[in-house]
Amino acid sequence: MTGPVTPQLSVAELACEAAELIRSADLAAHEGGRPGLLHTAEAAEVVAALAGLTGRLPELLDQLETFLSSEQAAGRIGPGPADNREYDVIRAARDAREQLYEASRTAALLSATMASAAASLAPFGAARTVGGPTVPHI
């Protein structure tokens, strides 16, 4: 699949779709107790795609952290009207922002590592025919 996904999906729905696609790829990689990958070129293609995916994670995590900060600064994060646990809600939002910050830093390291793996596997890359299957390089 290439190109943008249906624009009517929310950010949350898009993230759920991405998680489901990764789960499906994981299942397909070892479907029926046998490897789902047929050629080294496919592995190289998967690693390259995952390098692209992980390269986008730090920015998305930073955006989530920034959103939570701005929502809290604007007073939109707090307990419900009948709830007086304001401290707990504010602390939870702060903890989430700190965890997102750490996740972003970890994702940046993962991204760099995946990019290195993709570069290492590039010589095994796949030649594709238009609309056709992957053809292994030997």
Side-chain angles (χ1 to χ4, degrees), residues 17 26 41 64 67 130:
E17 287 290 319
D26 178 43
L64 290 167
F67 172 76
V130 176

Side-chain angles (χ1 to χ4, degrees), residues 11 15 53-69 96-111:
V11 174
L53 180 142
T54 59
R56 292 174 179 92
L57 281 176
E59 183 177 354
L60 179 57
L61 294 168
D62 287 344
Q63 289 175 2
L64 290 167
E65 178 193 357
T66 299
F67 172 76
L68 288 174
S69 293
R97 288 193 323 270
E98 289 173 2
Q99 292 157 347
L100 287 166
Y101 174 82
E102 286 303 316
S104 177
R105 303 296 106 9
T106 302
L109 178 60
L110 175 62
S111 174

